[in-house]
Amino acid sequence: MEIRKPALNKSVIETEIFIESKSPVIRVESASLNETSLEGENFDEIDFSEAIIDRLSLQSSTISEMKVTDSLIRKSIFTGTKAENAFFERVEIEDTRLQGLRLARASVRDVIIRDSKCNGLSLRFAKIKNVAFINCDLEESDFQGADLKDVLFQNCNLKNSQFSQAKLNGVSLKGSNIENISLQKDSIQGLIVTTDQAIYLSSIFGLIVQD
């Protein structure tokens, strides 16, 4: 699996913008945004393009239209935020709080999420392709009805996560905790697991493994 990285140039690092008033439309293009709190607000549109976002808080906000492309997001807070039908492409997210973030029907492609708290993250009915979750806590996350293709869960906690009615083509769970994961038999075609995980999943589906 090859994940395309964000296309950024040096001008992004050198150009910093400041948002002083809470506008219903936020756009950050070819610039960086640092130490900004926009908590509990309603936004018509948020657009990050070729942007570096550090320590942004959008906690408990509602975003009608969200688009993030060719951007880095670090040490930020999206806890309890709602951004259905969002679009993410060529994005890296690191050390960020995504607990309870609701991204139903989102499009997520070529994205790496690393060292982040994603408990209760909801990607119901989302389309997710070429995505890696690395060292993330995804306990009680919700991927119900999502279409996942070539997705890596590396060293993640997926305890009590929901994957019912999801498509899991080329999805790897190797090295992750899948205790009490919710899957259906018709969803596991193309799923990549370790031997121990396969034995655990077989017990869920009522299979008896004997040597």
Side-chain angles (χ1 to χ4, degrees):
M1 178 179 62
E2 183 177 350
I3 299 177
R4 295 176 297 167
K5 293 190 174 183
L8 295 167
N9 55 54
K10 292 183 179 179
S11 64
V12 175
I13 301 174
E14 297 168 354
T15 305
E16 182 175 355
I17 69 168
F18 301 90
I19 299 174
E20 297 179 355
S21 61
K22 296 179 180 179
S23 167
V25 176
I26 303 295
R27 294 191 180 97
V28 181
E29 184 175 354
S30 299
S32 61
L33 179 67
N34 300 305
E35 299 281 357
T36 303
S37 178
L38 300 169
E39 297 181 356
E41 296 294 320
N42 295 322
F43 297 95
D44 294 334
E45 179 186 353
I46 289 183
D47 189 341
F48 299 148
S49 176
E50 294 188 38
I52 297 177
I53 310 297
D54 275 306
R55 291 182 166 84
L56 166 67
S57 180
L58 282 167
Q59 182 171 338
S60 301
S61 295
T62 299
I63 306 164
S64 297
E65 183 178 342
M66 185 172 189
K67 183 178 180 181
V68 185
T69 57
D70 292 307
S71 295
L72 304 178
I73 299 175
R74 301 181 295 214
K75 297 184 183 300
S76 295
I77 302 173
F78 292 84
T79 303
T81 297
K82 181 179 179 181
E84 297 183 351
N85 300 299
F87 180 88
F88 291 80
E89 186 167 9
R90 296 182 303 277
V91 178
E92 293 188 8
I93 300 173
E94 183 176 325
D95 193 16
T96 289
R97 293 172 57 184
L98 306 174
Q99 298 105 315
L101 172 62
R102 288 170 287 174
L103 295 173
R105 296 179 295 279
S107 175
V108 184
R109 181 189 291 260
D110 293 303
V111 172
I112 298 174
I113 302 175
R114 182 186 287 109
D115 301 322
S116 295
K117 296 184 182 298
C118 307
N119 316 66
L121 169 67
S122 177
L123 280 158
R124 281 191 169 204
F125 306 106
K127 293 186 177 180
I128 306 167
K129 184 177 181 181
N130 291 348
V131 171
F133 292 89
I134 303 171
N135 301 326
C136 292
D137 189 349
L138 284 148
E139 185 170 353
E140 298 184 348
S141 55
D142 188 354
F143 293 86
Q144 181 177 342
D147 185 353
L148 292 81
K149 184 175 182 181
D150 297 330
V151 175
L152 171 67
F153 294 94
Q154 179 178 309
N155 193 32
C156 292
N157 178 20
L158 287 163
K159 183 178 179 180
N160 297 320
S161 56
Q162 174 66 255
F163 285 89
S164 62
Q165 300 176 343
K167 297 179 181 178
L168 303 173
N169 187 21
V171 173
S172 175
L173 304 179
K174 295 173 67 175
S176 291
N177 177 13
I178 61 170
E179 181 182 354
N180 293 329
I181 192 172
S182 180
L183 288 168
Q184 293 175 316
K185 289 182 181 180
D186 55 1
S187 295
I188 63 174
Q189 185 173 356
L191 187 64
I192 302 168
V193 297
T194 64
T195 300
D196 288 342
Q197 287 174 329
I199 294 172
Y200 175 76
L201 291 174
S202 68
S203 68
I204 293 176
F205 298 131
L207 300 178
I208 300 173
V209 180
Q210 294 181 342
D211 292 330

